[in-house]
Amino acid sequence: MNPIQPAPAQPTADTVLADLTGMLRTVLAEYGDDDVVIGLSTTFNRDLELESIDLVTLAGLLEERYGQRVNLAEFLAGMEFDEIIELTVGRLVEYVVRSLKTAQAG
């Protein structure tokens, strides 16, 4: 397994998408679905068919990569149920970029 690289100094949607895609492939590998196409419009529920336990795993991977600056549970807690069901990779990428930039500014 590759060691996790430090987060880039200036997070961009492209770098975060690449990181997140790798994390999702790790989660999906447990189901043998690690070759699925992942893009900004990919939904966690409908397209990737992730279960809540998978989101817990993803939250751990995000924290491992970005530290306490990115809190998936907190992000999801601010949403309505149907927003969570329709959550896209792109929306999570935006959240991660915003969180990292806010942390750098603070």
Side-chain angles (χ1 to χ4, degrees):
M1 188 164 167
N2 294 339
I4 299 212
Q5 301 298 316
Q10 290 296 325
T12 65
D14 289 340
T15 58
V16 172
L17 177 60
D19 287 346
L20 189 54
T21 298
M23 292 175 204
L24 287 168
R25 292 203 187 290
T26 298
V27 172
L28 293 168
E30 293 183 30
Y31 304 107
D33 289 340
D34 57 343
D35 61 344
V36 67
V37 176
I38 299 171
L40 292 175
S41 63
T42 303
T43 61
F44 289 94
N45 186 324
R46 193 174 46 251
D47 297 328
L48 301 179
E49 299 179 356
L50 293 185
E51 303 288 333
S52 57
I53 190 69
D54 299 322
L55 293 177
V56 171
T57 302
L58 180 59
L61 292 171
L62 284 165
E63 185 175 335
E64 193 175 312
R65 175 76 169 115
Y66 299 114
Q68 304 272 325
R69 301 171 295 176
V70 176
N71 187 327
L72 182 60
E74 188 176 277
F75 176 59
L76 295 175
M79 293 184 187
E80 297 293 326
F81 180 74
D82 41 335
E83 284 182 285
I84 295 171
I85 296 298
E86 294 301 317
L87 181 63
T88 62
V89 169
R91 186 160 177 203
L92 182 56
V93 166
E94 289 170 8
Y95 163 74
V96 171
V97 170
R98 189 171 57 248
S99 296
L100 294 175
K101 286 184 177 178
T102 300
Q104 285 178 350

